[in-house]
Amino acid sequence: LTGNTPHLANIYGYQISASLFRNDFENKLRVFFPVGVPVAFYDNIVSAKLSGVENQWRLFLLRKKVTLEFGLSLYAISEKAAFPFKSDKKFTSTLMIDHAGYSMQLHWFKEGEQVGWIRQVSGEFSEAILPQYSNLDFHFSKTVSWKRMKFFVNASGRNLLNRDVVLQGLALRDRRFYLTVGAKL
């Protein structure tokens, strides 16, 4: 559902979307990590189902140079071991600014509890439960055109808020920084 708002000076329009889905899996592979080993191993689950609804609301401001976005996702997970560390709910809020070749995105999110399986040194599985979680991502990019070429630089910071949750051997919820430079013809 989209709409324009010509009678409002600074609000350009809006967009509302929803997706309802159901996926059925047979012999679904699940990944697990032995403690202290950064190598993934796989096992299978005979039957698993994942269904849910994903909603998104966008508000376009200042001729679409500024976008506010809110999202809510709710999932029904039949077998959490089949979808390791998949949260059953997620709320997102994003501010996007796009003007004169500059692009900036500030993305806040909150996820529900996450459950995963870890294989112990003894070979047995144990369940790892991560509590609900919220954090902040920041992305910035600049594009420059020169003759027939386009140059771009992207800088990103993921999970910028300091959190003390660490799961040995897994890169979950860790702070990351990226810098990408490129050219296009």
Side-chain angles (χ1 to χ4, degrees):
L1 176 65
T2 60
N4 293 328
T5 54
H7 56 286
L8 299 174
N10 293 324
I11 300 176
Y12 188 80
Y14 61 89
Q15 182 180 48
I16 301 169
S17 64
S19 174
L20 181 64
F21 69 92
R22 177 181 164 150
N23 294 315
D24 295 328
F25 298 90
E26 290 182 21
N27 293 318
K28 168 91 170 64
L29 288 178
R30 70 174 169 185
V31 65
F32 62 88
F33 298 87
V35 175
V37 179
V39 177
F41 291 87
Y42 294 89
D43 190 14
N44 75 324
I45 293 177
V46 176
S47 176
K49 294 178 177 58
L50 175 64
S51 60
V53 61
E54 298 173 335
N55 301 290
Q56 192 174 67
W57 304 275
R58 285 186 177 165
L59 187 61
F60 303 106
L61 307 168
L62 304 173
R63 296 189 179 139
K64 287 192 170 181
K65 292 180 181 185
V66 176
T67 302
L68 294 174
E69 180 179 284
F70 302 95
L72 175 64
S73 300
L74 301 171
Y75 303 105
I77 304 168
S78 68
E79 178 61 56
K80 289 197 175 197
F83 306 95
F85 301 109
K86 175 78 172 164
S87 177
D88 60 353
K89 62 184 166 245
K90 185 173 186 177
F91 177 74
T92 61
S93 177
T94 306
L95 168 67
M96 294 176 273
I97 300 172
D98 195 2
H99 179 67
Y102 291 94
S103 179
M104 189 270 306
Q105 183 183 90
L106 190 61
H107 177 75
W108 175 86
F109 61 92
K110 182 174 185 173
E111 296 180 353
E113 179 181 270
Q114 296 171 309
V115 178
W117 287 86
I118 296 177
R119 184 169 230 156
Q120 300 298 322
V121 176
S122 65
E124 295 181 13
F125 286 103
S126 66
E127 189 176 68
I129 299 174
L130 300 177
Q132 69 179 359
Y133 171 69
S134 64
N135 218 311
L136 186 68
D137 296 343
F138 178 76
H139 308 281
F140 176 80
S141 65
K142 172 64 176 150
T143 304
V144 177
S145 295
W146 181 65
K147 296 189 178 183
R148 295 182 359 207
M149 305 243 333
K150 269 192 178 181
F151 298 93
F152 63 91
V153 61
N154 299 323
S156 296
R158 304 277 321 252
N159 297 319
L160 296 176
L161 301 178
N162 192 13
R163 299 289 186 226
D164 293 332
V165 176
V166 174
L167 194 56
Q168 184 179 355
L170 294 180
L172 292 176
R173 303 182 178 185
D174 60 335
R175 184 176 292 151
R176 301 179 197 172
F177 297 98
Y178 302 96
L179 181 63
T180 308
V181 178
K184 291 193 261 187
L185 289 174

